[in-house]
Amino acid sequence: MLVYPSGVNVSSSALCFLATRLRERRRALGTRWRRLNAGRQALLALTHLRNGQLYAQLAAGFGIGTTTAYRYITEAVELLAALAPTLAEAVRAASTKPYLILDGTLLPIDRIAADRPFYSGKHKKHGMNVQVIADPKGRLLWASPALAGAVHDARAAREHGIVDALVEAGITCWADKGYQGAGGTVRLPYRGRWETLSAGQQAVNRSHAKIRALVEQAIATLKSWRILRKLRCSTTRITSLVQAVLTLHLASSD
């Protein structure tokens, strides 16, 4: 395999953050020697998450075996996932915000037609449902564990306890019609065909759409990590990948 110099569009603060956590882990484990030092292992993991490259390609570029590359990346991802904020922590940190924005997104996966639990009728493709919470400026605050793509957004919000957490914190949340019946402090647009709505209802829906549209920035932030654009791993690992990306984003934006 040919190897060539390349770059990865990730901030140095994210690299320093992950490298520091890996050094701490190695000291705790009493590790004496590895093929890559903590800084190179951090770069390996960040390259995988940002560019979504295959393990064989990364192994060739870093001069290690494919199995070693897989092991190093998995270790880094699990370490980052463990540092991700819980829903309660995220809501507590956002308690000073005037409101939050909630939306769901589908992370595409390589599944066949027989895997019906992962098929989203809304998006017409197989994937995993992830709930995203953003602040009024569209900045990513929290991303949920991944559920099968067939799960509806309102059901996903209830299963994750998002609605209850928002009610307990007394925070208003803006969401789209997919959260019909969620209740609590979730604010939804008026339902019905546009021409059947009154002038006042149309004005409310226009204002609602402008506010809620900013959550797309948070979703775009999540999917700027190419590993999440087309997942080819086991569905049991997707939550760890999402939480790892969330941790890196929050660490580099502090």
Side-chain angles (χ1 to χ4, degrees), residues 10-23 39 42 46 248:
V10 178
S11 68
S12 58
S13 60
L15 177 64
C16 292
F17 173 81
L18 179 53
T20 300
R21 302 288 89 76
L22 288 170
R23 290 189 191 99
L46 290 176
L248 287 170

Side-chain angles (χ1 to χ4, degrees), residues 157-172:
R158 286 193 295 269
E159 288 194 18
H160 294 308
I162 296 174
V163 178
D164 292 338
L166 293 171
V167 170
E168 185 176 349
I171 302 177
T172 302

Side-chain angles (χ1 to χ4, degrees), residues 16 28 59 62 69 72 97 105 136 153 178 195 218-219 239:
C16 292
F62 282 81
Y72 281 4
K97 307 288 184 183
T105 186
D153 282 341
E195 59 272 14
I219 294 175
T239 291

Side-chain angles (χ1 to χ4, degrees), residues 130-143:
V130 172
Q131 299 294 297
V132 174
I133 294 179
D135 70 5
K137 294 184 178 180
R139 292 174 296 204
L140 176 63
L141 298 179
W142 182 78

